[in-house]
Amino acid sequence: MPPVVRDLGSGQRHELGDTSLIGRAEGADVRLSDGSVSRQHAAIRFEDGRFWIVDLGSANGTFVNGVALSAARVLQSGDRLQVGASVLVFELEDAAPDPGGVHADRTELAQLPPVPLRSTPVTLLVADLKGFTAICERLTAGQVADLLREWYADCEAVLKRHGASIDKFIGDCVFAYWHGTGPSVRSGAVRAAEALRAVEAAPVSATRLLLRAEAGIALDCRIGIHVGQVAMGAMGKGISTALGDAVNMAFRIEGLTRFVQRPMLVSAAFLEGWPEGAAAFESCGRHEIKGYRDAIEVFAPRHAERFGLREA
């Protein structure tokens, strides 16, 4: 039996892929009609042989066994996920079915205080390590952990240096944003993308030097950038996260880099009203993306050397 999440209310089982979006959106992999569920509520992602769940800035939060998520978390078979007023059970092969009901969970969730939200324009960046699954196959679990720990530190240093706020890390992916969408902010996002892809060319640690020498492994990432209006919500413990269609779009644009075979893509909205930036990018055509009725046009740097970006 493939990994699934089972809806305790309806009994429906949803098979999980490498990345599964949970929410009310038409393109959600685990689509729930519950009105308390956000359109893009949470995501389950398979990395390094494990399934991770992360809240995508939902209005009502995501809870695992009654504990609110504030960062990505590894799932264990039988874990109970509260998504809005819906309750799901994560099940791996040979997992025993959970006979429990949902009424107590829903009562508890109904008592949660509402999350204050504010709408604001932002510039969004999603970066995902290239070939990470293949890298994991060649390393021990300890080496993978060391590698990710160092890459997280690199991302944090680069993005903060360029004025970004890191929303969350999801396995081998980082999601960050800048408040505002002006030309200077967008230019800063492009420079941050350049710096993220140039990290491996700079002096690296003994761990990465060893992996490069012994296994020929060097880190690289694919990047998607978008601008849009999002809602910012406090998710407890001082954590603020972005949510809305623009967030989902940024992740979808990053996903298109594999299909288009370009290491960095930006949306048409990102270039709109910014002639200097638009002159440095070229269209990669219009593409259909899951969950959206209309195809979107994406753009890549016209010349890799313009921003110091290498080709994929």
Side-chain angles (χ1 to χ4, degrees):
M1 180 183 76
V4 300
V5 289
R6 180 166 51 89
D7 188 330
L8 289 185
S10 67
Q12 186 175 2
R13 304 167 74 87
H14 303 270
E15 292 189 9
L16 301 176
D18 288 343
T19 301
S20 301
L21 176 68
I22 302 172
R24 288 188 296 107
E26 184 178 346
D29 303 285
V30 182
R31 192 178 182 191
L32 302 172
S33 58
D34 177 1
S36 64
V37 174
S38 298
R39 296 189 73 249
Q40 297 89 32
H41 197 108
I44 297 176
R45 185 183 178 95
F46 182 73
E47 289 292 349
D48 190 22
R50 297 178 294 179
F51 284 88
W52 300 71
I53 184 169
V54 64
D55 186 85
L56 296 180
S58 62
N60 289 321
T62 302
F63 298 76
V64 178
N65 301 326
V67 179
L69 286 179
S70 59
R73 169 172 170 168
V74 175
L75 288 173
Q76 304 294 331
S77 186
D79 280 348
R80 182 172 296 199
L81 318 178
Q82 294 177 341
V83 182
S86 298
V87 180
L88 310 170
V89 176
F90 173 70
E91 296 178 346
L92 290 173
E93 188 174 1
D94 299 326
D98 185 339
V102 301
H103 300 293
D105 297 307
R106 288 183 172 175
T107 300
E108 179 181 349
L109 189 62
Q111 297 172 353
L112 292 172
V115 179
L117 301 174
R118 57 185 177 84
S119 182
T120 184
V122 295
T123 298
L124 304 156
L125 179 148
V126 176
D128 187 78
L129 279 175
K130 181 180 177 181
F132 188 66
T133 300
I135 289 175
C136 290
E137 291 176 351
R138 302 167 64 186
L139 302 178
T140 66
Q143 288 174 320
V144 170
D146 289 342
L147 204 59
L148 273 183
R149 190 179 302 113
E150 291 188 4
W151 190 68
Y152 285 179
D154 289 338
C155 289
E156 186 172 11
V158 166
L159 291 167
K160 286 188 175 180
R161 185 166 69 246
H162 289 85
S165 298
I166 296 177
D167 191 288
K168 57 178 68 74
F169 288 100
I170 314 169
D172 64 324
C173 174
V174 61
F175 168 45
Y177 59 86
W178 288 258
H179 290 283
T181 59
S184 62
V185 175
R186 285 183 263 184
S187 179
V190 171
R191 290 196 300 271
E194 172 187 1
L196 283 174
R197 299 204 65 235
V199 160
E200 195 67 12
V204 296
S205 70
T207 297
R208 296 232 288 269
L209 286 173
L210 179 64
L211 293 177
R212 184 188 295 172
E214 293 187 353
I217 291 174
L219 299 186
D220 195 2
C221 60
R222 297 184 174 94
I223 296 171
I225 305 179
H226 182 49
V227 297
Q229 197 80 12
V230 303
M232 301 298 297
M235 299 306 297
K237 298 182 180 179
I239 298 172
S240 182
T241 189
L243 61 117
D245 282 337
V247 175
N248 189 46
M249 179 67 75
F251 277 87
R252 299 301 193 195
I253 290 171
E254 186 278 322
L256 278 177
T257 59
R258 295 154 180 77
F259 179 77
V260 178
Q261 291 295 301
R262 300 294 289 268
M264 171 185 170
L265 292 175
V266 304
S267 64
F270 179 77
L271 299 177
E272 185 177 356
W274 185 31
E276 297 84 357
F281 285 80
E282 62 184 1
S283 176
C284 292
R286 300 182 66 85
H287 301 273
E288 294 184 355
I289 57 174
K290 187 175 182 180
Y292 290 85
R293 182 176 304 171
D294 300 325
I296 65 164
E297 187 174 15
V298 291
F299 299 78
R302 190 176 299 277
H303 301 292
E305 63 271 15
R306 170 65 178 82
F307 294 118
L309 295 172
R310 298 160 290 171
E311 294 296 335

